[in-house]
Amino acid sequence: MKILKKLIVLAIAVGSLASVKATPRDTTFHADGNPIIKHKYTADPAAMVYKDKVYLYTGHDEAAPGHNGYTMHDWTCFTSTDMVNWTEHPSPLNVKEFKWAKADAWASQVIERNGKFYWYVAVEHGTIPGKAIGVAVSDSPLGPFKDARGSALVTNDMTKAVKHSWDDIDPTVIIDKDGQAYLFWGNGICYYAKLKSNMTELDGEIKTITLPHYTEAPWIHERNGWYYLSYAYEFPEKIAYAMSRNINGPWEYKGIINEIAGNSNTNHQAIIDFKGKWYFIYHNGALVPDAGSFHRSVCIDYLYYNKDGSIKRVIMTSEGVKPVK
């Protein structure tokens, strides 16, 4: 009997040790130039500044070597206080969290409101043909995030401006100075709509914005009374932008700010102000000689403005950015 008890205790101890080993942990690394993340493939960056820290959320390319197609199941989360030294946190969200979805953890963005964090994502719907936008919520920017609705926020049957089934992708969100939240998204056309204060329901009709050579990847931000709507332009993609004094437009096209990112057909940006400097966060295909469009890597360079508020062209570098205090 004593031997049996010892064996049971040993089995429990081994099981506990295995559980501990299996538990994901935070890991830290120093970004040695661009791309900033070299141990896995990251794409479609979105960044949020919260309490003097940058939260970088990305897609995760997992396609087999040489495979020309997107394989994406979860999203990743990294944080930094200086833009160079980073902490990787366990994945806060997987496409499986959305029971109504069946695949594709595509581009996304997180925003904070009233102490809660809302994560807007693009996925493939399980029963309504086409891409859809879901929203997850958490009490922490590190998650875990849970489906906030139990259903999609936007589905392909709600948008008719273009005919293809993947027009409901690439959500970006902003809370305006008056407290009104807006969601922008779209492939082939830029859609936008107001969000209710609960951040999980649309508030009114879905509208469209006509922009020159608009492909996808909108990002909305505000600076000094100007609204900036940047987006992927043509294919392979550059990044262009438009400006307006009102979030509802009219929008004035201003030109290209980022050229085709090396070895990647797609180009997806996040623009943030952190500790007095502006940053342009994007991806390229620099880490692989083949299929770079499906094995992408996040990079960071500086963003500068002209005196009239317009944006200077981004200079993509291998050195990246310096630590900021």
Side-chain angles (χ1 to χ4, degrees), residues 255-278:
I256 303 294
I257 54 173
N258 193 43
E259 295 293 343
I260 296 171
N263 201 30
S264 176
N265 286 328
T266 61
N267 202 333
H268 195 115
Q269 77 293 358
I271 296 172
I272 61 168
D273 174 16
F274 182 57
K275 296 184 178 180
K277 295 182 182 296
W278 284 87

Side-chain angles (χ1 to χ4, degrees), residues 29 36 49 54 57 84 88 95 98 105 118 135 144-145 147 165 170 187 195 201 230-231 237 268 303:
F29 62 93
I36 65 166
V49 177
V54 170
Y57 303 92
V84 171
E88 180 178 6
V95 71
F98 301 98
Y118 298 89
V135 55
F145 283 78
D147 186 354
S165 65
D170 296 356
N187 174 288
L195 288 167
E201 297 177 86
S230 52
Y231 61 93
E237 296 172 352
H268 195 115
L303 184 86

